[in-house]
Amino acid sequence: MDVQQLEKLALLSRLALTDDDRRDLLPALNAIVQWADGLHQAPTEGIAPMAHPHDLSLRLREDQAAALPPRDQLMANAPQSAQGLFVVPRVVE
Amino acid sequence: MAWELVIGLETHVQLRTASKMFSPASTAFGAAPNTQAHPIDLALPGVLPTPNKAAIEAAIRFGLAVQGQIAPRSVFARKNYFYPDLPKGYQISQFEIPVVSGGQLAIVLQDGTQGDILLTRAHLEEDAGKSIHEGLADFPQGSSGIDLNRAGTPLLEIVTEPVMRSAAEAVAYAKALHGLVTWIGICDGNLQEGSFRVDANVSVRPVGSQTLGTRCEIKNLNSFRFLERAIQVEAARQVELIESGGTVRQETRLFDPERDETRSMRSKEDAHDYRYFPDPDLPPLVITQEQIDRVAASMPALPGEIRARLMADYGLSAYDAATVTSSQPSYQYLAAGLSALASLQGGVTSDRVKALVNWIMGELASALNREDSPIEASRVSAAALVGLVLRVEDGTISHKIAREVFGLLWEGSFPTADAAIEAKGLRQIQDTGAIQAFVTEVLAANPKMVDEYRAGKEKALNALVGQVMKRSAGKANPQSVTDLLKAQILG
Amino acid sequence: MDLRFSTLSELRTALDAGMVSAQELAQDYLDALEADRLGVALALDPDRTQEQARAAQRRIDTEPAEGRSPLVGLPILHKDVIVTEGWPTTAGSKILQNYRSPFDAELVARLAGQGMVCLGKSNCDEFAMGSANLHSAYGVCRNPWDPTRIPGGSSGGSAAAVAAGLAPAATGTDTGGSIRQPAAMCGITGIKPSYGRISRWGLVAYASSLDQAGPMARSAADCAWLLTAMAGHDPKDSTSLDLPQEDFGRLLTEPVTPAASPSQPLKGLRLGLPGQYFGPGLSESVRGAVEAALSVLRGLGAECLEVDLPRTELSIPAYYVIAPAEASSNLSRFDGVRYGHRSAHAQDLQALYRNSRAEGFGPEVRRRILVGTFVLSHGYYDAYYLQAQKVRRLIAQDFQAAFAQCDLIVGPVSPSLAWPIEASQRINDPLADYLADIYTLSASLAGLPGLSMPCGFGQPHSGGPDLPVGLQLIGPQFDEARLLGVAHRFQQATDWHRRCPPAPGSAGLSFTSEQVVASPSKGAH
């Protein structure tokens, strides 16, 4: 992994990077990735990936609308809100 | 250089359920901002999604209606990206294994051309919230407001193969799809409220080429008119670009109806790496044959079957049959008309049905369009319209007068055609003696026109016919008038 | 009368006998928590705690003991990755400073419904990512046996609190060992149930296919009470198991094996010892205590045999691909828009995201988000994420094969004793920390239940007080009752679980808590 790739990952995950970050993160990430390369040693031919540790199938919820707590309560932690809306810097399409 | 247009459509259909795809919040339209956002929709720490049974049944219903394959096991996947109307920072959708694959939808164009549009797939996902930029008094400057009422509403995304070759085909497909999803009751079809949104993938290539050109996606078209125009405008843009030496960039664009052009969406720049992976909060969705059979048993007769019957039994054209079955209310109107005919002397005949259909697609459609009304709100009932059709059939009134009668029925002045005809004295004058009297008067008053006709000018005859019609207040039988004039002039 | 090192069962007796009220009991712990210098608690609200205690005392006074929950009036601390309506939830992170959840986690509601009294929220590694409680944004937590050392992580605050008599029980979460390992390092008992046992509704998600909450307490018997109350189907969690309600303490009284006898309660029990758990990486001090514990188990009638878990080493890269991947997605919701930290440098939307998240997340969390984003990204997904999920299935199959030959798998929890805080802070080597998880990761990947109980002490090389060692029991899926039954028999034959660390500022002597209150039926609890 090089700095360019790191910058791309930082963009995808919306994390600002300082120069210190770039210096410290790159070797650590490379070490982890190199380690992960060891996974290819395993005999995984014909083995299906295991996304869940048990064999459940999805249970379905009956389609009924439920009452909600008051909006003020649910928006109480908002860093900025006005007129019942969450406020963010202008979204440009 | 001759260019071929290649179009594929992706349609987001909001499913008509009481609660959201993964939360029990209501999906009702028009509530005050953020009053229909459950903690799950707000992506508060610690929440988990639970899937809506009715939404899944709606997807099965759709799969059956288009003869697609219903996956016995499908997977919900996370589509990761950052946007303020996407609270979790990912959308729960389906990626590698959708609930429905394949399928097709029949379309008929106005000129009678028919075709089957092949579908790639249909999958379930959740809708995003809304960001609001305008119309907010006293709102912080340079900001947008986020309303998450819509976030989590169930969507069925329906994708076609890139098989359409004209804007007309695309619109015919979109209308047919709209008709189908409302017909089977999975969507309310309300375009203004955003229940049915079409994205068009448009590319061009030289005629005869086998490879696809670079495509652009035009997003969020919520009217058939805009869909048609956007495709035309985008195709022209791409052709002009290529012909002037440029290349088409794959990008997402919006249609601006004010300026009649498409423009690039700045926000969907770079990195379209959505990093799809199966959602670990949701085990696989298993659908049994038994469940499919249960849904199948509750399905109404499909428009395709009904169309085939109408064409076979009454000789309706494919286009006309498609139009009257474009929605359940539309078909119910026709069915009420057929029912009325059945109880009258002479019963249901092909001619009568065709005439009725012409009135439905003509005068009735115009009146409804003028008021932006749906057919369920028609001020002329099917039974009343049948009454009108029969009076034209039996010669009581001319077609021209019939349109006047329709107008009277529409404005509510009279309950039946017969009442209007009687009250306004609109009976067509069939009595040759009476017509002869008018003819004689007109000939006497217009000697110049008589001479011109004798000299060979056909237009003079039309003018004379017009005069007689005027004198008879439009009620004379036009054919008789013509015959009598000719007879008297030419002897 | 100092009840603070009593078990829940002993406290039950005291409450029922009127020796102490729920309010007095809660106050004892609250006072101790206020005076604490180990960094155990992140949020305390004495008024709210006393409100719950009053209500609990009313139940004790008015409800007949028959049929009343055994947990009424008993205090508990909740790990701060578990949301509570009455106390702030930070998940050990600055990004959630002062966050107030409008709802309680399902497990919190169930325990509260049974009359438990919440003492507050315990310290933990940020978003449960860590094995030493060194990654909390609110300060390190210290091991009560030697405050210069780590308590283990990520449920370090919970483990330290129970060990130091600051709470009789606490909840933890375990994604790769975060209940078992701190329990081992602090000398208490903790269990990570089978995946899906306890609802994840209200757990701030780290790795969704691995996270499980669990009880941490002073005995297996206490853990059984708590697990029984916490477990069970929750329709709000689509991954929660829908199995009949279970009493996880039933094998504390009923025989564990068909051949069991009073002197040989584990007769016929086959314990599998994975060769991979006893290799050169295991420190001598830990090995000594574990082998002594195995002797005790053999003395109780169990037989030991070697089993093979060939993918043990690969469990580390598999876990450190899968967990960060899921975490990178789960943590995307922390964007400064609807709750949590919003940066002052938010001139535009992208700056708002980038800066809020960089300011709010600590270095370990950022590292894992980047790794997770990498292994899911286009071009790398198959080679890393998918491959890790395949290795995961191999690991699950390894356990299945091993359980064909044995009933339970036994071994150490951690390769070493608790290490010094200062040394860790000096050397920034995340990979070294990851390696220490080697014995606990596999059970998480396979979704199997794992229990840790104190089994002795070891002498650290660098000097200082002796430190606790934990013994791990891993069972087949859904076998929690047997794990607890075996642990209980061990605890009836030993007193490691009764040991207490030296009081702060004392002469540095540890002690064994007396049974201050005699329990009615000695066999049961």
Side-chain angles (χ1 to χ4, degrees):
Chain A
M1 202 190 301
D2 57 24
V3 173
Q4 262 176 324
Q5 273 178 298
L6 177 59
E7 297 282 1
K8 180 145 187 250
L9 294 178
L11 175 60
L12 283 176
S13 46
R14 296 302 187 271
L15 289 171
L17 292 179
T18 62
D19 285 330
D20 284 348
D21 286 331
R22 287 183 193 90
R23 190 196 57 221
D24 296 336
L25 281 168
L26 213 39
L29 293 178
N30 273 317
I32 296 172
V33 170
Q34 207 173 17
W35 209 7
D37 285 333
L39 290 168
H40 296 101
Q41 297 161 24
T44 51
E45 295 261 320
I47 302 287
M50 189 183 207
H52 300 99
H54 52 29
D55 220 355
L56 284 189
S57 56
L58 200 53
R59 271 184 310 267
L60 305 182
R61 170 177 51 89
E62 290 297 327
D63 181 32
Q64 267 158 29
L68 298 180
R71 175 175 71 191
D72 287 342
Q73 195 190 353
L74 295 180
M75 290 183 70
N77 293 288
Q80 198 185 356
S81 64
Q83 297 167 37
L85 298 161
F86 294 99
V87 178
V88 293
R90 182 65 178 244
V91 175
V92 185
E93 291 270 274
Chain B
M1 169 81 87
W3 294 96
E4 179 176 61
L5 183 48
V6 175
I7 305 160
L9 295 187
E10 286 169 20
T11 309
H12 290 93
V13 171
Q14 262 187 6
L15 298 177
R16 214 169 58 109
T17 57
S19 64
K20 294 188 178 178
M21 184 70 227
F22 295 109
S23 94
S26 164
T27 53
F29 185 83
N34 289 308
T35 54
Q36 271 169 205
H38 188 277
I40 294 172
D41 306 317
L42 296 172
L44 297 187
V47 298
L48 293 169
T50 49
N52 184 326
K53 185 177 188 185
I56 287 152
E57 287 177 348
I60 297 174
R61 199 168 252 253
F62 178 78
L64 291 171
V66 297
Q67 295 119 46
Q69 286 96 49
I70 314 241
R73 185 182 164 281
S74 63
V75 172
F76 284 106
R78 295 188 183 181
K79 178 180 183 183
N80 296 279
Y81 64 96
F82 283 84
Y83 210 67
D85 65 7
L86 192 70
K88 294 188 290 297
Y90 60 86
Q91 177 198 36
I92 303 178
S93 176
Q94 295 189 297
F95 184 56
E96 285 175 340
I97 315 179
V99 58
V100 174
S101 7
Q104 61 205 44
L105 192 58
I107 61 166
V108 187
L109 299 184
Q110 204 147 5
D111 64 10
T113 335
Q114 297 184 58
D116 281 322
I117 303 299
L118 296 177
L119 303 179
T120 317
R121 57 189 266 156
H123 69 254
L124 287 164
E125 58 183 32
E126 48 177 359
D127 210 344
K130 283 196 175 143
S131 38
I132 300 168
H133 322 291
E134 280 109 40
L136 297 166
D138 301 325
F139 206 71
Q141 276 275 31
S143 299
S144 296
I146 306 295
D147 173 15
L148 296 173
N149 280 352
R150 197 182 66 177
T153 304
L155 293 178
L156 189 65
E157 181 177 328
I158 302 162
V159 184
T160 73
E161 295 285 326
V163 292
M164 287 160 279
R165 296 287 175 266
S166 69
E169 269 185 45
V171 171
Y173 163 78
K175 285 183 170 170
L177 183 64
H178 182 271
L180 181 65
V181 297
T182 50
W183 187 283
I184 61 177
I186 66 172
C187 177
D188 69 13
N190 191 319
L191 293 154
Q192 291 96 307
E193 288 179 1
S195 305
F196 188 90
R197 310 187 306 247
V198 183
D199 298 342
N201 287 307
V202 178
S203 67
V204 296
R205 64 183 176 189
V207 169
S209 163
Q210 293 303 315
T211 53
L212 293 170
T214 309
R215 65 162 204 259
C216 288
E217 185 186 17
I218 310 168
K219 284 197 83 65
N220 281 334
L221 298 156
N222 66 347
S223 91
F224 301 121
R225 248 188 326 121
F226 288 174
L227 172 63
E228 186 169 27
R229 194 65 197 133
I231 293 173
Q232 288 162 345
V233 149
E234 174 63 14
R237 179 192 80 88
Q238 290 189 13
V239 166
E240 196 198 305
L241 181 58
I242 299 173
E243 282 182 343
S244 61
T247 44
V248 176
R249 226 171 44 141
Q250 183 175 346
E251 60 189 359
T252 308
R253 301 176 73 84
L254 287 178
F255 177 60
D256 185 343
E258 312 266 313
R259 293 163 132 183
D260 199 37
E261 63 182 22
T262 63
R263 62 167 200 285
S264 184
M265 275 179 87
R266 277 189 9 198
S267 55
K268 309 265 180 163
E269 13 86 11
D270 68 87
H272 274 282
D273 189 350
Y274 295 121
R275 309 185 297 292
Y276 285 99
F277 70 104
D279 194 327
D281 290 329
L282 295 165
L285 173 63
V286 167
I287 296 175
T288 61
Q289 188 57 49
E290 193 222 358
Q291 281 168 299
I292 297 175
D293 292 342
R294 241 184 307 125
V295 174
S298 72
M299 296 262 283
L302 293 176
E305 304 159 30
I306 298 174
R307 257 174 243 161
R309 240 192 320 117
L310 289 174
M311 288 165 67
D313 292 354
Y314 309 116
L316 289 185
S317 73
Y319 184 76
D320 287 357
T323 308
V324 293
T325 56
S326 62
S327 71
Q328 278 232 23
S330 181
Y331 175 62
Q332 267 152 32
Y333 188 92
L334 175 64
L338 295 178
S339 192
L341 275 175
S343 64
L344 296 171
Q345 200 176 44
V348 184
T349 67
S350 290
D351 285 345
R352 285 177 172 185
V353 174
K354 280 184 185 159
L356 179 59
V357 167
N358 283 336
W359 276 94
I360 292 172
M361 288 172 55
E363 286 299 310
L364 180 60
S366 300
L368 291 168
N369 280 340
R370 249 177 285 125
E371 293 179 12
D372 211 7
S373 261
I375 199 166
E376 308 91 285
S378 171
R379 310 221 239 119
V380 175
S381 70
L385 190 56
V386 162
L388 183 58
V389 165
L390 292 179
R391 288 296 163 260
V392 175
E393 181 195 69
D394 66 19
T396 309
I397 50 175
S398 67
H399 198 93
K400 188 157 175 247
I401 295 288
R403 284 161 63 186
E404 206 183 304
V405 172
F406 180 85
L408 293 168
L409 293 177
W410 187 263
E411 67 190 38
S413 310
F414 299 98
T416 62
D418 282 346
I421 293 168
E422 211 45 56
K424 294 277 192 170
L426 294 171
R427 276 178 182 277
Q428 194 167 225
I429 300 171
Q430 305 280 35
D431 174 12
T432 11
I435 300 177
Q436 183 63 68
F438 288 127
V439 164
T440 310
E441 282 174 34
V442 164
L443 289 178
N446 297 281
K448 204 160 159 238
M449 280 195 227
V450 175
D451 291 333
E452 283 177 12
Y453 181 58
R454 282 202 182 116
K457 272 202 176 144
E458 286 297 323
K459 265 169 70 171
L461 181 66
N462 293 340
L464 289 168
V465 169
Q467 290 283 328
V468 175
M469 293 304 290
K470 242 170 78 178
R471 281 207 191 222
S472 71
K475 291 187 285 197
N477 180 313
Q479 195 54 53
S480 305
V481 169
T482 311
D483 294 342
L484 288 172
L485 277 170
K486 278 188 183 171
Q488 200 156 334
I489 295 172
L490 303 171
Chain C
M1 174 177 54
D2 190 359
L3 293 170
R4 284 192 298 114
F5 291 94
S6 305
T7 60
L8 291 178
S9 6
E10 289 165 349
L11 293 176
R12 169 88 273 124
T13 306
L15 282 169
D16 287 349
M19 287 171 62
V20 70
S21 70
Q23 297 97 309
E24 285 165 340
L25 191 60
Q27 200 55 50
D28 280 349
Y29 286 110
L30 285 171
D31 291 342
L33 285 164
E34 296 271 15
D36 166 51
R37 294 282 172 272
L38 297 171
V40 143
L42 293 184
L44 296 173
D45 184 344
D47 291 340
R48 197 178 289 271
T49 299
Q50 283 299 352
E51 210 181 288
Q52 291 190 354
R54 270 195 298 279
Q57 189 58 47
R58 260 197 302 276
R59 283 178 71 170
I60 294 171
D61 293 338
T62 58
E63 284 174 27
E66 294 292 309
R68 198 212 299 142
S69 162
L71 298 172
V72 179
L74 295 179
I76 191 159
L77 261 180
H78 287 300
K79 181 177 182 181
D80 210 21
V81 295
I82 298 171
V83 303
T84 47
E85 209 182 313
W87 287 258
T89 304
T90 68
S93 179
K94 279 281 187 278
I95 214 165
L96 278 180
Q97 191 162 30
N98 296 318
Y99 174 75
R100 291 270 179 175
S101 174
F103 65 96
D104 276 334
E106 179 63 19
L107 71 89
V108 169
R110 288 184 187 194
L111 292 175
Q114 299 225 3
M116 288 202 93
V117 176
C118 176
L119 293 169
K121 308 299 286 294
S122 61
N123 201 351
C124 57
D125 282 299
E126 190 178 356
F127 287 104
M129 298 182 194
S131 313
N133 219 128
L134 289 170
H135 297 302
S136 166
Y138 298 97
V140 304
C141 179
R142 297 171 178 282
N143 193 317
W145 298 88
D146 178 347
T148 66
R149 293 180 182 258
I150 60 163
S154 58
S155 311
S158 288
V162 172
L166 303 173
T171 53
T173 63
D174 190 314
T175 305
S178 291
I179 284 176
R180 293 164 283 160
Q181 188 251 35
M185 293 199 167
C186 289
I188 62 160
T189 308
I191 180 168
K192 176 198 87 70
S194 311
Y195 182 82
R197 234 350 149 186
I198 296 180
S199 171
R200 290 186 300 115
W201 175 265
L203 257 61
V204 181
Y206 159 22
S208 313
S209 74
L210 299 163
D211 292 342
Q212 263 299 279
M216 302 174 77
R218 301 190 66 83
S219 71
D222 286 357
C223 286
W225 268 1
L226 292 167
L227 183 59
T228 300
M230 291 163 80
H233 178 53
D234 179 10
K236 299 189 297 298
D237 175 359
S238 299
T239 59
S240 119
L241 298 164
D242 193 358
L243 296 173
Q245 201 64 25
E246 227 182 290
D247 170 14
F248 293 100
R250 67 181 184 278
L251 294 182
L252 270 63
T253 46
E254 289 163 30
V256 174
T257 61
S261 71
S263 62
Q264 300 260 280
L266 300 182
K267 186 155 179 69
L269 188 72
R270 297 166 303 159
L271 301 176
L273 308 181
Q276 292 84 0
Y277 288 23
F278 290 88
L282 180 62
S283 81
E284 284 314 306
S285 41
V286 175
R287 185 190 297 269
V290 167
E291 285 184 348
L294 291 174
S295 292
V296 172
L297 290 168
R298 277 194 289 269
L300 295 173
E303 34 174 296
C304 298
L305 54 122
E306 196 174 313
V307 293
D308 191 21
L309 294 177
R311 254 69 65 163
T312 299
E313 261 189 50
L314 280 181
S315 69
I316 307 178
Y319 175 87
Y320 281 101
V321 164
I322 295 169
E326 296 183 5
S328 71
S329 180
N330 284 329
L331 266 57
S332 293
R333 65 192 61 201
F334 301 102
D335 57 10
V337 173
R338 299 163 312 290
Y339 51 82
H341 172 69
R342 178 183 285 206
S343 173
H345 306 288
Q347 55 274 24
D348 60 54
L349 188 61
Q350 299 310 319
L352 185 153
Y353 286 149
R354 280 197 315 266
N355 295 324
S356 302
R357 289 164 62 78
E359 290 166 15
F361 290 137
E364 182 61 29
V365 171
R366 281 184 279 134
R367 207 168 6 235
R368 295 200 195 188
I369 289 176
L370 290 166
V371 169
T373 304
F374 175 74
V375 301
L376 289 176
S377 58
H378 184 62
Y380 298 103
Y381 177 85
D382 286 359
Y384 293 103
Y385 185 75
L386 219 52
Q387 183 64 12
Q389 297 281 39
K390 291 180 183 177
V391 171
R392 180 181 192 170
R393 190 175 293 281
L394 285 178
I395 290 172
Q397 288 174 353
D398 288 350
F399 275 109
Q400 262 181 320
F403 285 127
Q405 307 173 297
C406 69
D407 300 310
L408 299 179
I409 286 170
V410 182
V413 177
S414 167
S416 69
L417 302 170
W419 55 86
I421 290 171
E422 200 247 329
S424 252
Q425 288 173 325
R426 248 186 305 120
I427 306 163
N428 183 17
D429 185 2
L431 265 63
D433 283 0
Y434 297 170
L435 286 167
D437 295 333
I438 188 168
Y439 306 136
T440 50
L441 298 175
S442 299
S444 298
L445 288 165
L448 301 177
L451 176 150
S452 170
M453 61 183 177
C455 69
F457 286 82
Q459 204 177 48
H461 293 304
S462 39
D466 284 356
L467 299 166
V469 173
L471 186 72
Q472 183 176 204
L473 305 176
I474 301 172
Q477 215 176 32
F478 312 147
D479 211 23
E480 292 88 340
R482 187 148 57 163
L483 293 178
L484 290 163
V486 171
H488 178 64
R489 298 304 186 289
F490 180 84
Q491 290 180 344
Q492 282 181 312
T494 60
D495 72 351
W496 301 116
H497 63 293
R498 299 233 58 123
R499 302 294 179 87
C500 306
S506 75
L509 294 167
S510 67
F511 59 100
T512 305
S513 77
E514 302 287 316
Q515 237 182 284
V516 178
V517 185
S519 311
S521 48
K522 203 152 198 290
H525 290 110

